[in-house]
Amino acid sequence: MEDKHTEILLKRIAADDNEAFRLFYDRYYLQVYRFASYFVDSSLLIEEIVSDVFCIIWQHRKRLSQIDYFERYLYTITKNKAFHYLRSENKMSLTELDAVSDKLSHDEDPEYLIVDKELNVSLKKAIDELPERCRLIFLMAREEGLKYKEIAEILSISEKTVNAQMVLAIKKLTKTLGNITLFLF
């Protein structure tokens, strides 16, 4: 189970609690909407997918408490619904859908895909607060994808210094952002 609050909501929903379902809907609506938007660009179609996802959740409410990784389950339903709509509108072939699905499942975790603007703003602010040299090295490694050896050569410093600055950057970001940094790095 993802967290205690979700577990409690799911148990209440399984007991036909409409208010719990409303709370659940409010909690997960934006995540489902954003995730669907990675597959479909029509807001009308996205709304339809979101509606279908929550209908499926309600229809299968009696079995919800048996699901160990509920958010994964939610994202899978969303992806499948999006693919269903794309297939039914002949916008994508099965081969194209499989390629998108493979890329998504292998390259990016759904939780990463739905990181919202607030998190990005918080991350940018936290990076901006790093000491100048530390920030520069961090950005060269994370944004530019340079190896520590390449950074050391460009800045005329040792690889040990680059490594020490990266450790410092991650410690400071973890202190500022908390456990969210585990998902980012």
Side-chain angles (χ1 to χ4, degrees), residues 40-42 44-46 48-49 82-93 97:
V40 179
D41 55 7
S42 161
L44 188 60
L45 194 50
I46 293 169
E48 209 169 315
I49 291 167
F83 285 3
H84 171 77
Y85 279 102
L86 290 170
R87 263 196 319 268
S88 67
E89 292 194 5
N90 294 321
K91 291 194 174 196
M92 291 183 90
S93 69
L97 290 173

Side-chain angles (χ1 to χ4, degrees), residues 41-82:
D41 55 7
S42 161
S43 59
L44 188 60
L45 194 50
I46 293 169
E47 286 290 342
E48 209 169 315
I49 291 167
V50 170
S51 177
D52 284 354
V53 167
F54 285 103
C55 283
I56 290 170
I57 297 297
W58 182 255
Q59 289 168 349
H60 298 284
R61 65 188 174 277
K62 300 293 183 194
R63 292 180 274 168
L64 293 178
S65 61
Q66 300 168 1
I67 298 168
D68 289 331
Y69 299 100
F70 181 75
E71 285 191 359
R72 247 187 251 165
Y73 174 74
L74 188 64
Y75 294 129
T76 301
I77 294 171
T78 305
K79 177 188 76 170
N80 290 341
K81 272 292 159 192

Side-chain angles (χ1 to χ4, degrees), residues 7-177:
E7 186 177 347
I8 292 167
L9 276 179
L10 293 176
K11 284 180 182 177
R12 287 178 54 197
I13 292 167
D16 299 330
D17 184 336
N18 289 327
E19 179 60 27
F21 187 74
R22 182 69 197 164
L23 292 170
F24 171 82
Y25 179 88
D26 291 344
R27 181 175 184 177
Y28 285 100
Y29 171 84
L30 195 54
Q31 288 179 343
V32 172
Y33 186 95
R34 286 182 184 153
F35 191 60
S37 73
Y38 285 102
F39 303 102
V40 179
D41 55 7
S42 161
S43 59
L44 188 60
L45 194 50
I46 293 169
E47 286 290 342
E48 209 169 315
I49 291 167
V50 170
S51 177
D52 284 354
V53 167
F54 285 103
C55 283
I56 290 170
I57 297 297
W58 182 255
Q59 289 168 349
H60 298 284
R61 65 188 174 277
K62 300 293 183 194
R63 292 180 274 168
L64 293 178
S65 61
Q66 300 168 1
I67 298 168
D68 289 331
Y69 299 100
F70 181 75
E71 285 191 359
R72 247 187 251 165
Y73 174 74
L74 188 64
Y75 294 129
T76 301
I77 294 171
T78 305
K79 177 188 76 170
N80 290 341
K81 272 292 159 192
F83 285 3
H84 171 77
Y85 279 102
L86 290 170
R87 263 196 319 268
S88 67
E89 292 194 5
N90 294 321
K91 291 194 174 196
M92 291 183 90
S93 69
L94 286 174
T95 307
E96 291 170 316
L97 290 173
D98 285 343
V100 170
S101 180
D102 286 347
K103 179 177 177 6
L104 180 67
S105 62
H106 296 302
D107 293 346
E108 298 183 339
D109 191 337
E111 284 84 4
Y112 176 78
L113 290 173
I114 61 168
V115 172
D116 62 8
K117 289 180 183 177
E118 282 184 30
L119 179 59
N120 289 328
V121 168
S122 297
L123 177 61
K124 183 176 178 351
K125 183 179 177 199
I127 291 171
D128 289 344
E129 291 174 0
L130 291 172
E132 186 177 336
R133 184 180 197 185
C134 187
R135 179 177 62 244
L136 175 63
I137 290 170
F138 180 82
L139 291 174
M140 290 174 81
R142 295 295 182 200
E143 299 290 318
E144 302 297 324
L146 297 174
K147 296 181 182 339
Y148 289 8
K149 183 177 182 176
E150 295 169 321
I151 296 169
E153 290 172 3
I154 292 168
L155 298 178
S156 300
I157 57 176
S158 72
E159 279 185 67
K160 282 186 174 187
T161 302
V162 172
N163 186 55
Q165 290 295 307
M166 285 298 293
V167 168
L168 177 66
I170 291 172
K171 280 183 181 178
K172 285 183 178 273
L173 291 173
T174 301
K175 185 177 180 183
T176 304
L177 299 171

